[in-house]
Amino acid sequence: MKKLALAAALSVVASGAIAGGYVAPTVVEPVVVVEDTSSSAGGILVPAIAVLLLVLALHHS
């Protein structure tokens, strides 16, 4: 009787270990994002507008 209980317990453990089967790991390729720059003057536009607004604010006060 003990051997039968041991065999039943081992079969439950063994079947539970392989219940899902083997699943190959998936390889995810990295996504490369390329952004185009609008122009080379983009870096000077914001400071130029800020200076213009500062001069206008000082001129009107």
Side-chain angles (χ1 to χ4, degrees):
M1 187 68 169
K2 288 182 185 181
K3 289 182 183 181
L4 182 62
L6 180 62
L10 288 177
S11 68
V12 169
V13 170
S15 65
I18 59 170
Y22 175 73
V23 176
T26 57
V27 177
V28 178
E29 295 290 329
V31 178
V32 178
V33 178
V34 178
E35 294 183 14
D36 294 331
T37 56
S38 59
S39 68
S40 62
I44 192 74
L45 186 63
V46 173
I49 292 174
V51 168
L52 179 66
L53 290 175
L54 182 65
V55 167
L56 287 174
L58 291 175
H59 180 69
H60 286 292
S61 61

